[in-house]
Amino acid sequence: MNWAGLYAVLSGVNRHSTAIGRIWLSVIFIFRIMVLVVAAESVWGDEKSAFTCNTQQPGCNSVCYDHFFPISHIRLWALQLILVTTPALLVAMHVAYQQHQEKKLLMMTGHGDAKHLEEVKKHKIRIAGSLWWTYVFSVVFRLLFEAVFMYIFYMIYPGYQMVRLVKCEAYPCPNTVDCFVSRPTEKTIFTVFMLVTSSICIVLNMAELVYLVVRACARRGRRNSNPSSGKGSFYGHKLSEYKQNEINQLLTEQDGSLKDMLRRNPGLQEKGDRCSAC
Amino acid sequence: MDWGSLHTILGGVNKHSTSIGKIWLTVLFIFRIMILVVAAERVWGDEQDDFVCNTLQPGCKNVCYDHFFPISHIRLWALQLIFVSTPALLVAMHVAYRRHEKKRQFRKGDKKCEYKDIEEIRSQRFRIEGSLWWTYTSSIFFRLIFEAVFMYAFYFMYDGFRMPRLMKCNAWPCPNTVDCFVSRPTEKTVFTIFMIAVSSICILLNVAELCYLLTKFFLRRSKKAGNAKHHPNHENKEETKQNEMNELISDSCQNTVIGFSSS
């Protein structure tokens, strides 16, 4: 299980996201995970081996490194990315549950053949009802995790800037010892880059939250002004959808057989009354 | 998530590109990304370990390396390639949006009967016109800007494209001025020039594609203006005949439904 595995898992969620959710997912995978794997990991690769202290005292190097870098940036970012992407799985689980209920309903009403069951899997589920709440919670959790990790970063590494020199006096270092960090400028550049993309993701999440809330309010307003439309239950609505799908299918099949008929009998091409089933 | 996944993502965009766009994508993946992964990363692999300064002063090497190489060539190229390839995703998103709209029309049972089934919508290739033309052109424009910005950043940071063999450093804690030697300077210069050359070729391809799109746009506009002059109804005879036939067929659709439901 690696980043590619996570990508495979989350691509499925993408189908049921809003447009902003898909943009967010692309930003996460291309500008954060990919940059982390392809570039940042090699910058931090030699962080311990190239951390040099101005002393020959054995153990001083290790102790000072551990004192100033309790957890490496790379590991913090990896944790952040994993925690930030996993609330989307709540949505995936809810969608799977809804699809399971739909399949049960189909079997109960006698439409349990393979074709209808396949259609359940293929069609996109609207973000409404309880799924809306799940989706909103997942976005809120994402925001929370992003904010918490940015705060942790700031606490552990104040100012987001990687210093060139740290002065260390932990035992067993004799007195105060100068220790030099490897590639501080490059690390600062990447820290700022990851910080900026993290802020962009926070903005996208907030925009998505606002969009969902506005959509829900608009839907509620429409329902209040037109009370007859939204009264049907979820399953009643689904039943009428299936009936409509059947009618559409019949129409397309007949279209195929009609074209055969027209080819054989060109005289059938006449204008007639409008169809009442359409 | 690595270059392979990026290749998968961008491979889908390839379908809707112009021929110059397809050439550009091939050049990007074979002559830049592949060279970066297969060759350049090895050359720069020991850049800090083998950066040697003529001093025993601890920390001097770290500080001098950091002073002369604020960001490594490899990382700059990786960022450049990521930024340059992502505008193509705008086009992919626009195409996905159009497909979604067509699927919605189809599901509503639109009387046009344009597509036999949803699979055809999925595999259909859209022509680059209308709003898709604007998205495509903006994506090429952004690509050009990113390429230019990164080439300038390179030139600015490393004073030209040559890797010097020796650098003189006097940053603290180095005592006085110290000679520092870069590892594999000639090989690094060769690869830097190679990557710059391929980057310039990509810029040229993007400019050519932009010109091609603009030419196509103006030609199409002049053709439409020419048609409007000769046929003020904005429809030529063939289109009118086709529209009539379509109407007849859809009306017959409905007649047959009545016929079947009544029998």
Side-chain angles (χ1 to χ4, degrees):
Chain A
M1 185 74 190
N2 53 12
W3 293 115
L6 187 70
Y7 180 63
V9 168
L10 289 176
S11 306
V13 178
N14 210 11
R15 265 189 77 211
H16 308 285
S17 305
T18 59
I20 305 179
R22 288 178 199 170
I23 296 173
W24 171 84
L25 208 70
S26 306
V27 169
I28 284 261
F29 274 106
I30 297 179
F31 291 101
R32 293 175 78 178
I33 295 182
M34 195 164 166
V35 168
L36 183 82
V37 169
V38 151
E41 277 186 351
S42 46
V43 177
W44 269 266
D46 61 358
E47 54 178 333
K48 184 150 193 276
S49 54
F51 182 76
T52 322
C53 290
N54 187 2
T55 179
Q56 292 201 329
Q57 170 65 45
C60 179
N61 223 341
S62 301
V63 161
C64 291
Y65 176 80
D66 185 60
H67 181 256
F68 286 102
F69 301 103
I71 176 166
S72 169
H73 289 62
I74 293 283
R75 259 70 72 183
L76 262 180
W77 284 325
L79 280 175
Q80 179 181 18
L81 288 165
I82 290 173
L83 284 173
V84 153
T85 42
T86 35
L89 295 177
L90 286 175
V91 176
M93 284 193 259
H94 193 139
V95 164
Y97 170 74
Q98 266 190 3
Q99 281 176 342
H100 175 73
Q101 297 292 95
E102 273 183 38
K103 282 186 186 166
K104 258 191 357 186
L105 174 74
L106 278 176
M107 297 215 184
M108 264 171 21
T109 53
H111 290 96
D113 55 319
K115 207 169 41 161
H116 284 112
L117 292 178
E118 266 309 299
E119 213 199 281
V120 166
K121 238 185 243 171
K122 278 193 202 162
H123 85 94
K124 187 185 163 196
I125 295 190
R126 278 177 64 205
I127 303 176
S130 54
L131 183 60
W132 184 90
W133 286 102
T134 310
Y135 199 91
V136 163
F137 276 131
S138 78
V139 175
V140 166
F141 277 124
R142 274 188 228 161
L143 268 168
L144 261 167
F145 287 138
E146 293 268 22
V148 162
F149 272 92
M150 278 180 74
Y151 179 69
I152 290 175
F153 248 105
Y154 190 76
M155 287 285 292
I156 303 182
Y157 302 109
Y160 299 118
Q161 202 209 3
M162 184 63 82
V163 292
R164 224 179 232 194
L165 161 75
V166 290
K167 288 187 183 291
C168 175
E169 43 187 37
Y171 174 82
C173 303
N175 310 307
T176 305
V177 146
D178 290 333
C179 292
F180 300 89
V181 177
S182 129
R183 311 181 205 246
T185 312
E186 204 166 357
K187 286 178 179 172
T188 307
I189 292 175
F190 275 96
T191 306
V192 169
F193 181 88
M194 295 295 265
L195 184 69
V196 165
T197 45
S198 192
S199 316
I200 291 175
C201 287
I202 287 179
V203 167
L204 283 171
N205 283 330
M206 283 173 42
E208 197 174 6
L209 212 53
V210 165
Y211 168 73
L212 285 167
V213 167
V214 162
R215 216 168 77 165
C217 292
R219 211 184 298 136
R220 195 178 260 193
R222 244 184 291 144
R223 219 183 291 158
N224 285 340
S225 62
N226 193 1
S228 58
S229 65
K231 278 265 165 86
S233 72
F234 171 72
Y235 295 115
H237 173 70
K238 282 289 159 201
L239 266 176
S240 62
E241 259 188 42
Y242 289 124
K243 278 202 185 134
Q244 185 60 50
N245 285 346
E246 268 195 35
I247 294 175
N248 289 347
Q249 251 184 25
L250 278 169
L251 282 172
T252 46
E253 278 164 21
Q254 281 150 17
D255 185 29
S257 57
L258 169 73
K259 284 202 171 128
D260 283 335
M261 276 168 64
L262 286 175
R263 248 185 275 126
R264 280 183 262 124
N265 288 350
L268 268 175
Q269 284 190 23
E270 293 173 351
K271 284 194 184 172
D273 302 313
R274 291 275 149 201
C275 164
S276 58
C278 308
Chain B
M1 188 74 193
D2 57 359
W3 296 115
S5 325
L6 187 71
H7 184 240
T8 318
I9 294 175
L10 290 177
V13 177
N14 211 10
K15 249 183 96 193
H16 307 281
S17 305
T18 59
S19 355
I20 306 179
K22 290 176 190 172
I23 297 173
W24 172 84
L25 208 70
T26 310
V27 168
L28 186 84
F29 275 104
I30 297 181
F31 291 102
R32 293 174 81 177
I33 295 181
M34 195 166 160
I35 295 284
L36 183 82
V37 169
V38 153
E41 279 185 353
R42 301 258 169 85
V43 176
W44 270 266
D46 59 2
E47 54 177 335
Q48 209 192 243
D49 293 334
D50 279 359
F51 183 77
V52 169
C53 291
N54 187 3
T55 180
L56 286 180
Q57 171 65 44
C60 177
K61 183 181 109 155
N62 282 13
V63 162
C64 290
Y65 178 82
D66 184 62
H67 181 257
F68 288 109
F69 300 105
I71 177 167
S72 168
H73 289 61
I74 293 283
R75 257 74 68 183
L76 257 183
W77 283 326
L79 282 176
Q80 178 180 17
L81 289 167
I82 290 173
F83 274 94
V84 152
S85 33
T86 35
L89 294 178
L90 287 174
V91 177
M93 284 194 253
H94 193 140
V95 165
Y97 170 74
R98 264 210 194 165
R99 273 211 187 113
H100 174 74
E101 290 295 299
K102 293 252 154 121
K103 276 188 195 168
R104 233 171 33 150
Q105 265 179 16
F106 178 79
R107 279 210 187 97
K108 272 193 191 153
D110 206 342
K111 292 196 177 76
K112 279 188 190 157
C113 290
E114 225 178 276
Y115 298 106
K116 267 226 130 91
D117 61 51
I118 274 196
E119 281 309 311
E120 214 186 290
I121 299 179
R122 214 171 271 165
S123 54
Q124 193 223 16
R125 188 188 159 202
F126 289 109
R127 283 180 62 199
I128 302 176
E129 51 193 18
S131 54
L132 186 59
W133 184 91
W134 286 102
T135 310
Y136 198 87
T137 314
S138 325
S139 79
I140 298 180
F141 189 66
F142 278 122
R143 272 189 229 160
L144 270 168
I145 292 188
F146 288 138
E147 292 269 22
V149 162
F150 274 94
M151 276 180 79
Y152 178 71
F154 243 101
Y155 188 82
F156 180 71
M157 258 189 251
Y158 296 108
D159 275 331
F161 299 122
R162 227 188 109 244
M163 182 67 78
R165 229 176 231 188
L166 161 73
M167 291 164 164
K168 290 192 184 288
C169 174
N170 57 10
W172 187 87
C174 304
N176 309 306
T177 304
V178 146
D179 289 338
C180 292
F181 300 89
V182 177
S183 125
R184 312 179 206 244
T186 312
E187 204 169 358
K188 286 178 179 172
T189 307
V190 166
F191 274 97
T192 306
I193 293 178
F194 180 88
M195 294 295 265
I196 296 291
V198 182
S199 192
S200 316
I201 291 174
C202 284
I203 289 180
L204 280 172
L205 283 170
N206 283 330
V207 168
E209 197 175 4
L210 212 52
C211 293
Y212 168 73
L213 285 169
L214 285 169
T215 314
K216 223 167 78 160
F217 175 73
F218 286 122
L219 275 174
R220 211 183 300 133
R221 201 186 241 191
S222 61
K223 221 195 298 177
K224 234 185 264 176
N227 271 349
K229 239 193 260 172
H230 294 123
H231 305 278
N233 295 340
H234 289 287
E235 257 185 29
N236 55 28
K237 284 187 191 158
E238 283 170 14
E239 275 185 32
T240 331
K241 258 195 204 158
Q242 187 62 44
N243 284 345
E244 268 189 36
M245 264 182 62
N246 289 345
E247 248 187 69
L248 283 170
I249 291 175
S250 59
D251 286 341
S252 316
C253 263
Q254 290 145 21
N255 277 346
T256 324
V257 168
I258 299 176
F260 276 123
S261 56
S262 63
S263 60

